[in-house]
Amino acid sequence: MGERVPDDLIPVYTALHAVLRARLSLAHLLDPVPREPRKWVPLAKQYLALAEHALVAKE
């Protein structure tokens, strides 16, 4: 739309997307036979750490 996103919203968007990715990673475990089940929890934790870092760095 041509408008600039305020700088203080960037960390919020970063955290939002990281939390979404964590949720999608964990959703793989809901499959009847998840592919690579040991992969998803550590990956979700990495995304949540990224989200936390984005919000803490904002302060």
Side-chain angles (χ1 to χ4, degrees), residues 4-50:
R4 190 176 183 290
V5 176
D7 289 338
D8 50 338
L9 279 183
I10 301 296
V12 175
Y13 287 143
T14 300
L16 175 67
H17 287 269
V19 169
L20 176 61
R21 295 295 301 226
R23 190 256 179 252
L24 293 172
S25 294
L26 293 173
H28 286 281
L29 297 175
L30 298 174
D31 291 342
V33 181
R35 191 174 41 111
E36 301 180 59
R38 287 190 255 161
K39 170 183 176 179
W40 303 115
V41 172
L43 185 59
K45 287 180 180 181
Q46 288 177 353
Y47 282 125
L48 291 175
L50 176 65

